């Protein structure tokens, strides 16, 4: 059995090498991502492990299948950038890692909210300029707020526990109800109801065709004045222009964005200077004290990285050996 793993970073390599040694399976680690220029490296291998930073286009998948590989294992949750027609046409079997560390993302999300509520970005800027005054930057307390969780999967539920630990009231919306949360009376009947009641809106839903830019002008208009927006999930969930308008008007008090709708090719890139970042809307957000932008790092912990690598390799091994896997995605 031979597996090729694309986009392997230095921080992932020890976990890949450990798995390869433990399993006695040859794994070729490639630093470049899977695309049209690297797909031919897969010739002679039985499966490919990949990471979601570039689209898996029909061209790439057709070439991968032509090279004899139809076992594809993603080291991440989202599959929204996989060409589904090419998957079906070529008979691909695709897996993801649905839960590499819900706690990592939940902890980061709440940490960013606390930074916003306690105005630490403002105080950091003031102190760097020698200003050690307090006013007018008085803080808010999470324990007095209602947090609206959008989607109650593993990450949403992990975040919920932390919010509740701070004493916040938690409400949630999900098309699919968790029985325990249902029994506890956590769910509201609609997103509109959640928008109307929540002081904080915490997004934990995957991106789908139905929820593309779900937070748009109409959605913001239904929210409380001074609402806080948290998005560690998918950039496509928020209409960036609408968010900027809501921030300008004060409808949104602040936002923590670990994802961005146009992040591909921008996040995880060193541009050398702030001015060189090639996205004016993103820079608009980054300049604000009441907006925290991070380059898709909520997942980025040692535990999560290890699980992403080794769970994906386990998935690929299962596909090769049996033709199916526990974390197989149905398209």
């Amino acid at each position: 059995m031979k597996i090729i793993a694309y986009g392997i970073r230095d921080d992932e390599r020890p976990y890949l090498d450990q798995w390869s040694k433990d399993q006695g399976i040859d794994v070729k680690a490639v630093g470049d991502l899977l695309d049209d220029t690297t797909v031919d490296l897969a010739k002679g291998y039985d499966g490919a492990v990949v990471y979601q930073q570039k689209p898996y286009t029909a061209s790439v998948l057709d070439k991968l299948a032509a090279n004899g590989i139809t076992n594809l294992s993603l080291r991440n949750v989202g599959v929204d950038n996989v060409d589904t027609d090419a998957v079906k046409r070529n008979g691909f079997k695709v897996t993801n890692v649905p839960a590499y560390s819900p706690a990592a993302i939940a902890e980061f999300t709440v940490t960013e909210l606390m930074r916003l509520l306690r105005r630490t970005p403002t105080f950091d800027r003031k102190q760097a300029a020698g200003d050690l005054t307090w006013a007018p930057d008085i803080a808010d307390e999470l324990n007095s707020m209602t947090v609206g969780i959008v989607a109650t999967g593993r990450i949403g539920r992990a975040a919920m526990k932390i919010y509740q630990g701070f004493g916040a009231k938690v409400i949630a919306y999900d098309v699919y109800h968790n029985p325990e949360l249902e029994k506890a009376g956590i769910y509201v009947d609609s997103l509109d109801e959640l928008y109307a009641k929540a002081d904080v809106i915490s997004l934990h839903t995957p991106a789908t065709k139905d929820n593309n830019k779900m937070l748009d002008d109409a959605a913001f208009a239904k929210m409380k004045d001074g609402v806080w927006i948290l998005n560690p999930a998918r950039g496509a969930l928020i209409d960036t222009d609408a968010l900027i308008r809501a921030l300008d008007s004060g409808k949104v008090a602040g936002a923590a964005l670990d994802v961005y709708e146009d992040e591909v090719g921008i996040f995880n890139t060193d541009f050398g200077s702030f001015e060189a970042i090639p996205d004016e809307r993103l820079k608009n957000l980054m300049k604000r004290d009441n907006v925290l932008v991070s380059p898709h790092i909520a997942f980025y912990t040692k535990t999560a990285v290890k699980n992403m690598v080794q769970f994906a390799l386990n998935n690929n091994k299962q596909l090769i050996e049996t033709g199916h896997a526990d974390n197989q995605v149905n398209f």
Side-chain angles (χ1 to χ4, degrees), residues 2 6 29 38 58 61 66 79 92-93 109 113 117 126 179 181 192 194 250 258 264 279 288 326:
K2 296 172 65 179
Y6 284 93
T38 61
L61 294 179
V79 295
F92 272 94
K93 296 180 178 67
T109 305
L113 174 61
L117 295 183
K126 288 170 63 173
L181 300 182
D192 285 355
L194 183 142
D258 188 52
V264 175
D279 190 307
R288 300 170 185 254
D326 295 337

Side-chain angles (χ1 to χ4, degrees), residues 172-302:
Y173 176 79
D174 200 318
V175 175
Y176 305 102
H177 286 195
N178 176 279
E180 292 183 5
L181 300 182
E182 177 79 56
K183 186 176 180 180
I186 295 291
Y187 290 107
V188 295
D189 294 329
S190 67
L191 278 172
D192 285 355
E193 184 179 354
L194 183 142
Y195 294 157
K197 291 182 175 180
D199 302 296
V200 176
I201 294 176
S202 192
L203 302 177
H204 301 285
T205 180
T208 67
K209 293 180 181 178
D210 294 333
N211 64 19
N212 185 56
K213 297 189 178 182
M214 61 182 290
L215 296 196
D216 56 11
D217 288 311
F220 287 126
K222 297 171 183 176
M223 299 176 191
K224 289 184 176 183
D225 291 341
V227 67
W228 302 87
I229 303 295
L230 311 174
N231 187 10
R234 285 291 179 265
L237 299 174
I238 296 181
D239 181 328
T240 302
D241 291 320
L243 174 61
I244 289 172
R245 287 189 288 269
L247 287 162
D248 288 343
S249 70
K251 167 61 76 170
V252 171
L257 310 172
D258 188 52
V259 290
Y260 176 62
E261 62 176 320
D262 296 320
E263 70 181 61
V264 175
I266 296 179
F267 282 2
N268 202 26
T269 300
D270 183 356
F271 291 101
S273 70
F274 180 82
E275 291 72 20
I277 297 172
D279 190 307
E280 293 305 317
R281 295 188 305 170
L282 182 61
K283 288 193 285 188
N284 178 312
L285 293 167
M286 293 173 69
K287 289 176 183 177
R288 300 170 185 254
D289 281 354
N290 62 337
V291 177
L292 297 174
V293 175
S294 48
H296 210 143
I297 58 170
F299 81 96
Y300 195 49
T301 67
K302 295 172 184 176

Side-chain angles (χ1 to χ4, degrees), residues 15-318:
Y15 306 121
L16 182 148
D17 290 343
Q18 177 188 349
W19 186 93
S20 178
K21 180 180 178 181
D22 292 345
Q23 298 291 329
I25 294 173
D26 178 26
V27 182
K28 179 178 177 62
V30 177
D32 294 323
L33 298 170
L34 174 64
D35 59 22
D36 285 298
T37 68
T38 61
V39 65
D40 285 342
L41 296 174
K43 288 179 179 178
Y45 288 85
D46 302 300
V49 171
V50 295
Y51 181 66
Q52 182 191 33
Q53 270 188 295
K54 290 184 177 182
Y56 302 128
T57 63
S59 172
V60 169
L61 294 179
D62 288 345
K63 290 175 183 176
L64 193 62
N67 287 332
I69 293 184
T70 55
N71 298 310
L72 186 67
S73 296
L74 278 62
R75 300 197 299 280
N76 49 269
V77 179
V79 295
D80 47 295
N81 67 340
V82 179
D83 189 297
T84 56
D85 291 336
V87 165
K88 295 173 182 177
R89 180 172 63 250
N90 291 294
F92 272 94
K93 296 180 178 67
V94 180
T95 63
N96 68 346
V97 182
Y100 34 84
S101 181
I105 297 166
E107 289 176 6
F108 184 84
T109 305
V110 182
T111 297
E112 295 292 86
L113 174 61
M114 293 308 301
R115 290 180 65 203
L116 289 171
L117 295 183
R118 297 313 303 251
R119 311 302 196 267
T120 57
T122 298
F123 282 107
D124 288 345
R125 175 181 52 77
K126 288 170 63 173
Q127 289 173 196
D131 182 354
L132 301 182
T133 62
W134 306 342
D137 304 300
I138 195 166
D140 294 294
E141 296 185 17
L142 179 53
N143 67 81
S144 64
M145 294 183 169
T146 297
V147 178
I149 303 281
V150 179
T152 54
R154 295 177 179 90
I155 298 170
R157 294 197 304 275
M160 183 180 299
K161 290 180 180 179
I162 302 174
Y163 290 127
Q164 290 172 328
F166 275 91
K169 178 181 178 180
V170 174
I171 59 175
Y173 176 79
D174 200 318
V175 175
Y176 305 102
H177 286 195
N178 176 279
E180 292 183 5
L181 300 182
E182 177 79 56
K183 186 176 180 180
I186 295 291
Y187 290 107
V188 295
D189 294 329
S190 67
L191 278 172
D192 285 355
E193 184 179 354
L194 183 142
Y195 294 157
K197 291 182 175 180
D199 302 296
V200 176
I201 294 176
S202 192
L203 302 177
H204 301 285
T205 180
T208 67
K209 293 180 181 178
D210 294 333
N211 64 19
N212 185 56
K213 297 189 178 182
M214 61 182 290
L215 296 196
D216 56 11
D217 288 311
F220 287 126
K222 297 171 183 176
M223 299 176 191
K224 289 184 176 183
D225 291 341
V227 67
W228 302 87
I229 303 295
L230 311 174
N231 187 10
R234 285 291 179 265
L237 299 174
I238 296 181
D239 181 328
T240 302
D241 291 320
L243 174 61
I244 289 172
R245 287 189 288 269
L247 287 162
D248 288 343
S249 70
K251 167 61 76 170
V252 171
L257 310 172
D258 188 52
V259 290
Y260 176 62
E261 62 176 320
D262 296 320
E263 70 181 61
V264 175
I266 296 179
F267 282 2
N268 202 26
T269 300
D270 183 356
F271 291 101
S273 70
F274 180 82
E275 291 72 20
I277 297 172
D279 190 307
E280 293 305 317
R281 295 188 305 170
L282 182 61
K283 288 193 285 188
N284 178 312
L285 293 167
M286 293 173 69
K287 289 176 183 177
R288 300 170 185 254
D289 281 354
N290 62 337
V291 177
L292 297 174
V293 175
S294 48
H296 210 143
I297 58 170
F299 81 96
Y300 195 49
T301 67
K302 295 172 184 176
T303 297
V305 169
K306 176 182 178 180
N307 289 343
M308 291 171 77
V309 171
Q310 298 191 347
F311 290 0
L313 287 165
N314 286 335
N315 289 338
N316 210 245
K317 178 174 179 283
Q318 275 189 303

